[in-house]
Amino acid sequence: LDAGEHDRVADRPYIIRVRNRVEADEELKDHSADKLKELGIKGITLAEYLQLHDFCHWKTGIHLDKINITLCSGSRDPDGYVPDVRWSPSYGRVDVCACPADCAGDYLRSRVIVS
């Protein structure tokens, strides 16, 4: 998680707020990480997503993103790719992949962060 660029780095404790939803923000479908950055929309980082998922599952027993994929638009790997994450029921795990920063689709959505 350290490699690459992240909008926020946990060099001190901080709290983020996201919408109370199992699926990522529908309002952000068809928005690539590049488009979100251009619009000034802060998105969740990969580290924040993984902590959010663990907390939600611990608290409710529910996994995030069973249908759609969260675009972690607040993070970029060293090659400029953006992590995307979803729950994979067939494997019983969280799957982390990456896509180009200009990738967009109905199923690929970020989560707005209010920090």
Side-chain angles (χ1 to χ4, degrees):
L1 295 178
D2 293 335
E5 285 182 37
H6 308 283
D7 289 350
R8 290 160 302 284
V9 180
D11 56 352
R12 58 184 170 77
Y14 70 95
I15 293 174
I16 60 166
R17 291 185 295 162
V18 295
R19 291 182 173 106
N20 185 16
R21 299 177 172 170
V22 172
E23 296 296 327
D25 298 344
E26 183 174 1
E27 300 85 354
L28 300 180
K29 69 182 177 183
D30 290 323
H31 284 64
S32 68
D34 285 347
K35 180 69 172 179
L36 293 170
K37 187 174 187 174
E38 178 184 311
L39 294 171
I41 297 173
K42 293 181 184 179
I44 197 163
T45 67
L46 178 57
E48 291 165 349
Y49 178 89
L50 294 172
Q51 291 177 356
L52 174 65
H53 181 272
D54 286 351
F55 176 78
C56 289
H57 186 256
W58 169 76
K59 190 77 172 162
T60 66
I62 295 172
H63 293 286
L64 301 177
D65 300 303
K66 294 180 190 177
I67 299 169
N68 297 298
I69 299 171
T70 291
L71 179 67
C72 297
S73 59
S75 293
R76 307 243 176 157
D77 75 11
D79 296 323
Y81 282 78
V82 180
D84 58 68
V85 190
R86 72 181 183 109
W87 175 250
S88 177
S90 55
Y91 294 108
R93 68 178 185 217
V94 172
D95 277 344
V96 178
C97 296
C99 62
D102 63 352
C103 185
D106 283 351
Y107 61 91
L108 189 60
R109 307 161 182 199
S110 192
R111 292 176 184 268
V112 174
I113 294 298
V114 179
S115 54

